[in-house]
Amino acid sequence: MPAIENSRFNSRVAACQENLRQVGVALTQFSDRNNGYFPQIPRSGPAAVAGVYAPTLLENGYLDSSTRVVCPGSSLADNGEYAVPTLEQLRKA
């Protein structure tokens, strides 16, 4: 049993590393196409958090899935209904 659990843990670590790599690639691509800048974070309002990067990257096609910003070991990863809110949903929040 310990070997199986260790294998599952290593698999989740590898998936997390791949997600982080994909987010890094997405930020680099965004920056390359926007004069070296990352997505702008508003100074105030519901989108005034660093987490606004996720919906910005998703809506602009730099990330392929909401699951890229969720740790595979979290309970959100097990929930197939999780989705990053859209920028419009954040503006209305």
Side-chain angles (χ1 to χ4, degrees), residues 2-93:
I4 292 172
E5 187 57 36
N6 191 34
S7 176
R8 288 181 184 158
F9 173 78
N10 289 336
S11 176
R12 286 190 299 264
V13 168
C16 186
Q17 289 172 333
E18 177 59 17
N19 285 352
L20 289 171
R21 188 187 74 76
Q22 288 292 327
V23 170
V25 167
L27 284 168
T28 299
Q29 290 174 339
F30 184 97
S31 175
D32 287 346
R33 293 185 183 126
N34 290 277
N35 299 320
Y37 292 100
F38 284 162
Q40 185 176 10
I41 301 172
R43 291 188 181 268
S44 62
V49 295
V52 77
Y53 281 10
T56 301
L57 295 173
L58 281 163
E59 285 187 25
N60 287 288
Y62 295 103
L63 286 176
D64 60 352
S65 169
S66 291
T67 59
R68 292 290 183 199
V69 296
V70 177
C71 177
S74 78
S75 59
L76 289 175
D78 294 334
N79 180 352
E81 297 176 16
Y82 174 78
V84 171
T86 65
L87 290 172
E88 185 61 28
Q89 289 171 326
L90 287 174
R91 285 185 197 102
K92 290 179 178 180

